[in-house]
Amino acid sequence: MSYNSDFERAFIQRCLNLVQQYQGPYYATLLLNCLLGLLIVPKEACLNAIPLDPIEKLQQWGISPSSIKSFGTSQGADDNPKVLRGLVWRLRSAVAHYRFRPVPETGEIEAFHFHDRSGFSAMVKIAELRIFVERLAKHLHEM
């Protein structure tokens, strides 16, 4: 397996391809792995370009606003937890620091519960997470 000189872009495209093509029994695991990769690998260069769309537009990214139980508190002058970029940063924090759990904890996974130290808490269904991961990958790849 080889990558071209633009590792980040190739990585993002491969995550998108995996999410769109995988048909096996470990789909929730694949989604979480791709989310982790998309939130961590292109961190500095790409995630700052996530739009500052208000949370009311979150549905366009696949996640129902009702999935967000708490936005948490601002962590700095430029941090607004109630915009898309703030949500992405909170998801990044939750995934990077292993602050997520499958729902239910046994049996077939229906959702993931994400949380972080700011007080952020979200329960994201697998179907919503798929759309979000695809949309995030497409957005990051187009940059």
Side-chain angles (χ1 to χ4, degrees), residues 11-66:
F11 181 86
I12 292 164
Q13 182 61 51
R14 289 178 185 197
C15 284
L16 179 59
N17 292 346
L18 284 169
V19 169
Q20 291 176 333
Q21 296 171 10
Y22 183 78
Q23 298 294 320
Y26 306 115
Y27 197 71
T29 302
L30 176 84
L31 278 174
L32 196 59
N33 282 329
C34 287
L35 178 64
L36 173 66
L38 291 170
L39 294 174
I40 302 298
V41 171
K43 178 187 175 257
E44 297 301 330
C46 297
L47 293 183
N48 285 331
I50 298 294
L52 294 171
D53 291 349
I55 213 65
E56 293 79 24
K57 291 187 175 183
L58 186 57
Q59 190 73 43
Q60 295 172 3
W61 285 75
I63 297 177
S64 168
S66 65

XYZ file of all heavy atoms in Angstrom, residues 11-66:
443
model
N -5.343 10.061 2.859
C -5.908 9.434 4.048
C -7.396 9.747 4.166
O -8.218 8.863 4.430
C -5.153 9.917 5.294
C -5.664 9.307 6.573
C -5.184 8.088 7.008
C -6.623 9.957 7.329
C -5.664 7.525 8.180
C -7.107 9.404 8.499
C -6.623 8.183 8.930
N -7.755 11.006 3.981
C -9.149 11.432 4.062
C -9.987 10.701 3.013
O -11.074 10.197 3.308
C -9.248 12.960 3.905
C -8.632 13.655 5.124
C -10.689 13.400 3.686
C -8.339 15.134 4.910
N -9.487 10.618 1.794
C -10.216 9.940 0.715
C -10.397 8.459 1.029
O -11.469 7.902 0.805
C -9.497 10.105 -0.622
C -10.237 9.473 -1.791
C -11.613 10.077 -2.023
O -11.750 11.294 -2.108
N -12.641 9.247 -2.122
N -9.392 7.838 1.601
C -9.499 6.414 1.937
C -10.507 6.181 3.060
O -11.245 5.195 3.048
C -8.135 5.842 2.293
C -7.262 5.734 1.060
C -5.897 5.231 1.357
N -5.103 5.265 0.138
C -3.990 4.612 -0.020
N -3.519 3.866 0.957
N -3.324 4.693 -1.154
N -10.558 7.091 4.014
C -11.584 6.987 5.067
C -12.976 7.065 4.444
O -13.857 6.273 4.783
C -11.414 8.093 6.101
S -10.055 7.831 7.245
N -13.168 8.016 3.544
C -14.459 8.154 2.869
C -14.803 6.885 2.104
O -15.930 6.374 2.193
C -14.441 9.370 1.940
C -15.715 9.635 1.144
C -16.908 9.850 2.062
C -15.518 10.840 0.239
N -13.846 6.349 1.361
C -14.082 5.121 0.604
C -14.460 3.966 1.525
O -15.383 3.200 1.215
C -12.843 4.742 -0.214
C -12.561 5.704 -1.339
O -13.403 6.523 -1.715
N -11.354 5.638 -1.875
N -13.773 3.829 2.643
C -14.078 2.759 3.585
C -15.506 2.862 4.117
O -16.239 1.871 4.158
C -13.100 2.781 4.764
C -11.708 2.233 4.504
C -10.782 2.575 5.669
C -11.756 0.734 4.288
N -15.891 4.052 4.522
C -17.236 4.260 5.076
C -18.304 3.955 4.032
O -19.321 3.348 4.338
C -17.388 5.691 5.623
C -18.828 6.009 5.951
C -16.516 5.875 6.861
N -18.060 4.350 2.809
C -19.058 4.162 1.756
C -19.118 2.731 1.239
O -20.158 2.302 0.767
C -18.778 5.124 0.601
C -19.028 6.556 0.965
C -18.664 7.533 -0.138
O -17.795 7.261 -0.965
N -19.329 8.675 -0.139
N -18.027 1.971 1.341
C -17.979 0.656 0.708
C -18.096 -0.525 1.669
O -18.484 -1.609 1.263
C -16.678 0.515 -0.095
C -16.610 1.491 -1.246
C -15.241 1.504 -1.915
O -14.385 0.654 -1.646
N -15.029 2.469 -2.792
N -17.785 -0.336 2.934
C -17.762 -1.452 3.875
C -19.162 -2.011 4.093
O -20.115 -1.259 4.293
C -17.151 -1.007 5.205
C -17.024 -2.137 6.207
C -16.001 -3.064 6.095
C -17.929 -2.276 7.241
C -15.870 -4.107 7.001
C -17.808 -3.312 8.157
C -16.785 -4.216 8.028
O -16.675 -5.242 8.932
N -19.271 -3.333 4.064
C -20.563 -3.996 4.248
C -20.529 -5.046 5.350
O -21.468 -5.804 5.503
C -20.979 -4.683 2.936
C -21.173 -3.737 1.780
C -22.341 -2.794 1.992
O -23.391 -3.195 2.496
N -22.161 -1.535 1.629
N -19.455 -5.104 6.122
C -19.290 -6.165 7.110
C -19.976 -5.900 8.432
O -20.653 -4.888 8.634
N -19.778 -6.818 9.384
C -20.467 -6.757 10.666
C -19.878 -5.755 11.667
O -20.443 -5.556 12.728
C -20.312 -8.188 11.207
C -19.022 -8.654 10.609
C -18.978 -8.029 9.238
N -18.762 -5.128 11.337
C -18.093 -4.230 12.281
C -18.226 -2.770 11.868
O -17.304 -1.975 12.021
C -16.614 -4.622 12.426
C -16.435 -6.064 12.802
C -15.822 -6.949 11.944
C -16.928 -6.539 14.019
C -15.679 -8.278 12.288
C -16.794 -7.868 14.365
C -16.168 -8.738 13.492
O -16.033 -10.051 13.835
N -19.389 -2.421 11.366
C -19.576 -1.079 10.812
C -19.415 0.013 11.873
O -18.810 1.046 11.616
C -20.948 -0.962 10.132
C -21.002 0.234 9.230
C -20.296 0.242 8.041
C -21.697 1.373 9.590
C -20.295 1.347 7.226
C -21.710 2.479 8.775
C -21.005 2.462 7.589
O -20.994 3.560 6.784
N -19.921 -0.189 13.071
C -19.793 0.820 14.130
C -18.323 1.042 14.468
O -17.884 2.187 14.660
C -20.571 0.398 15.379
N -17.540 -0.026 14.504
C -16.105 0.084 14.770
C -15.413 0.839 13.647
O -14.573 1.714 13.893
C -15.477 -1.319 14.932
O -16.142 -1.987 16.002
C -13.994 -1.231 15.199
N -15.755 0.521 12.421
C -15.174 1.216 11.268
C -15.492 2.712 11.325
O -14.610 3.547 11.104
C -15.695 0.621 9.965
C -15.219 1.355 8.718
C -13.847 0.858 8.314
C -16.209 1.217 7.603
N -16.737 3.063 11.633
C -17.113 4.478 11.723
C -16.302 5.199 12.789
O -15.807 6.305 12.564
C -18.607 4.617 12.055
C -19.569 4.491 10.906
C -21.004 4.510 11.437
C -19.373 5.587 9.888
N -16.159 4.579 13.946
C -15.397 5.197 15.023
C -13.924 5.347 14.636
O -13.306 6.378 14.892
C -15.548 4.393 16.309
C -15.143 5.099 17.572
C -15.955 6.372 17.795
C -15.296 4.172 18.755
N -13.361 4.336 13.991
C -11.972 4.428 13.530
C -11.794 5.544 12.508
O -10.820 6.301 12.578
C -11.511 3.097 12.925
C -11.169 2.075 13.969
O -10.730 2.403 15.056
N -11.377 0.813 13.640
N -12.704 5.646 11.563
C -12.611 6.704 10.555
C -12.811 8.075 11.195
O -12.107 9.028 10.850
C -13.609 6.466 9.432
S -13.126 5.102 8.345
N -13.751 8.181 12.122
C -13.948 9.447 12.824
C -12.668 9.838 13.549
O -12.225 10.987 13.453
C -15.111 9.345 13.814
C -15.387 10.602 14.643
C -15.824 11.752 13.749
C -16.445 10.311 15.699
N -12.074 8.902 14.256
C -10.816 9.167 14.951
C -9.758 9.666 13.971
O -9.108 10.685 14.205
C -10.331 7.896 15.656
C -8.942 7.972 16.296
C -8.949 8.948 17.448
C -8.506 6.588 16.753
N -9.598 8.974 12.871
C -8.612 9.383 11.884
C -8.887 10.753 11.300
O -7.980 11.580 11.162
N -10.143 11.030 10.987
C -10.498 12.321 10.384
C -10.362 13.477 11.368
O -10.104 14.611 10.964
C -11.925 12.275 9.836
C -12.121 11.385 8.614
C -13.609 11.222 8.319
C -11.382 11.950 7.404
N -10.539 13.209 12.649
C -10.417 14.265 13.645
C -8.987 14.475 14.125
O -8.648 15.557 14.587
C -11.310 13.945 14.858
C -12.813 13.955 14.604
C -13.556 13.484 15.846
C -13.287 15.328 14.183
N -8.144 13.458 13.987
C -6.795 13.547 14.521
C -5.756 13.824 13.433
O -4.948 14.734 13.556
C -6.413 12.251 15.283
C -7.400 11.973 16.416
C -4.982 12.328 15.792
C -7.461 13.019 17.501
N -5.749 13.060 12.350
C -4.696 13.182 11.334
C -4.632 14.566 10.704
O -3.578 15.191 10.707
C -4.820 12.070 10.266
C -3.869 12.320 9.100
C -4.533 10.711 10.896
N -5.735 15.103 10.188
C -5.625 16.426 9.548
C -5.854 17.597 10.504
O -6.193 18.699 10.077
C -6.729 16.372 8.491
C -7.759 15.504 9.089
C -7.008 14.474 9.912
N -5.633 17.404 11.792
C -6.020 18.352 12.838
C -5.749 19.817 12.530
O -6.668 20.601 12.352
C -5.341 17.980 14.150
C -5.656 18.937 15.271
C -4.822 18.603 16.488
C -5.038 19.623 17.555
N -4.010 20.576 17.709
N -4.516 20.216 12.498
C -4.208 21.647 12.428
C -4.563 22.259 11.079
O -5.165 23.318 11.012
C -2.739 21.887 12.751
C -2.352 21.480 14.159
C -3.137 22.204 15.237
O -3.561 23.349 15.035
O -3.332 21.610 16.302
N -4.182 21.614 10.019
C -4.354 22.213 8.697
C -5.816 22.293 8.277
O -6.221 23.255 7.644
C -3.560 21.421 7.659
N -6.593 21.304 8.631
C -7.941 21.232 8.086
C -9.061 21.595 9.054
O -10.038 22.210 8.654
C -8.200 19.825 7.548
S -7.136 19.354 6.188
N -8.940 21.204 10.301
C -10.069 21.381 11.196
C -10.366 22.847 11.499
O -11.496 23.189 11.837
C -9.888 20.570 12.472
C -9.917 19.053 12.263
C -9.793 18.331 13.591
C -11.167 18.611 11.540
N -9.387 23.707 11.359
C -9.663 25.139 11.534
C -10.535 25.683 10.407
O -11.081 26.772 10.534
C -8.361 25.929 11.629
C -7.698 25.743 12.977
O -8.368 25.519 13.972
N -6.387 25.814 12.999
N -10.644 24.936 9.330
C -11.469 25.363 8.206
C -12.900 24.830 8.293
O -13.690 25.040 7.385
C -10.830 24.926 6.890
N -13.237 24.161 9.378
C -14.624 23.727 9.574
C -15.455 24.996 9.735
O -15.093 25.896 10.479
C -14.763 22.831 10.825
C -13.928 21.560 10.665
C -16.220 22.506 11.130
C -14.387 20.635 9.572
N -16.580 25.067 9.045
C -17.382 26.292 9.105
C -17.899 26.614 10.510
O -18.042 25.737 11.351
C -18.564 25.999 8.179
C -18.279 24.729 7.501
C -17.157 24.047 8.184
N -18.170 27.865 10.712
C -18.750 28.339 11.972
C -20.274 28.355 11.873
O -20.938 29.209 12.448
C -18.212 29.736 12.300
C -16.714 29.801 12.596
C -16.249 31.248 12.681
C -16.392 29.048 13.873
N -20.808 27.374 11.153
C -22.260 27.276 10.983
C -22.931 27.155 12.347
O -22.448 26.425 13.223
C -22.629 26.038 10.166
C -22.209 26.131 8.711
O -21.820 27.231 8.272
O -22.274 25.099 8.016
N -24.066 27.838 12.514
C -24.798 27.697 13.775
C -25.313 26.267 13.941
O -25.497 25.543 12.964
C -25.950 28.691 13.641
C -26.091 28.925 12.184
C -24.745 28.708 11.570
N -25.525 25.891 15.158
C -25.912 24.524 15.472
C -27.233 24.138 14.803
O -27.493 22.967 14.569
C -25.923 24.317 17.006
C -25.510 22.897 17.343
C -27.246 24.688 17.608
C -24.094 22.570 16.978
N -28.042 25.134 14.439
C -29.299 24.843 13.739
C -29.046 24.181 12.386
O -29.921 23.511 11.848
C -30.119 26.128 13.545
C -30.636 26.740 14.829
C -29.572 27.538 15.596
O -28.596 28.009 14.981
O -29.724 27.658 16.819
N -27.856 24.345 11.837
C -27.511 23.721 10.551
C -26.844 22.355 10.724
O -26.421 21.744 9.753
C -26.594 24.643 9.748
C -27.274 25.895 9.254
C -26.360 26.652 8.329
C -27.082 27.857 7.735
N -26.217 28.558 6.772
N -26.761 21.894 11.948
C -26.094 20.633 12.228
C -26.722 19.476 11.467
O -26.028 18.558 11.024
C -26.121 20.362 13.738
C -25.358 19.155 14.234
C -23.899 19.221 13.824
C -25.486 19.057 15.750
N -28.030 19.518 11.274
C -28.735 18.450 10.558
C -28.152 18.256 9.157
O -28.102 17.141 8.651
C -30.234 18.781 10.465
C -31.070 17.637 9.961
C -31.226 16.533 10.983
O -31.458 16.786 12.160
N -31.094 15.302 10.557
N -27.657 19.325 8.526
C -27.042 19.219 7.204
C -25.765 18.384 7.246
O -25.306 17.891 6.221
C -26.732 20.607 6.642
C -27.956 21.443 6.382
C -27.610 22.880 6.021
O -26.453 23.263 5.915
N -28.644 23.680 5.830
N -25.178 18.260 8.418
C -23.973 17.459 8.600
C -24.307 16.067 9.123
O -23.423 15.290 9.429
C -23.013 18.179 9.541
C -22.331 19.325 8.875
C -22.872 20.540 8.568
C -20.998 19.358 8.387
N -21.945 21.322 7.928
C -20.781 20.618 7.815
C -19.945 18.448 8.399
C -19.568 20.990 7.238
C -18.738 18.813 7.837
C -18.565 20.068 7.261
N -25.594 15.753 9.241
C -26.025 14.407 9.595
C -26.434 14.196 11.037
O -27.035 13.187 11.358
N -26.090 15.110 11.916
C -26.398 14.925 13.335
C -27.590 15.788 13.723
O -27.604 16.992 13.472
C -25.181 15.275 14.219
C -24.022 14.328 13.898
C -25.549 15.184 15.698
C -22.749 14.630 14.655
N -28.559 15.170 14.334
C -29.722 15.905 14.812
C -29.312 16.790 15.985
O -28.614 16.316 16.892
C -30.801 14.923 15.262
O -31.815 15.589 15.963
N -29.714 18.063 16.002
C -29.385 18.911 17.148
C -29.846 18.319 18.481
O -29.220 18.550 19.514
C -30.100 20.228 16.837
C -30.158 20.262 15.344
C -30.384 18.815 14.942
N -30.893 17.501 18.451
C -31.371 16.882 19.688
C -30.397 15.816 20.217
O -30.512 15.383 21.360
C -32.758 16.280 19.491
O -32.712 15.210 18.565
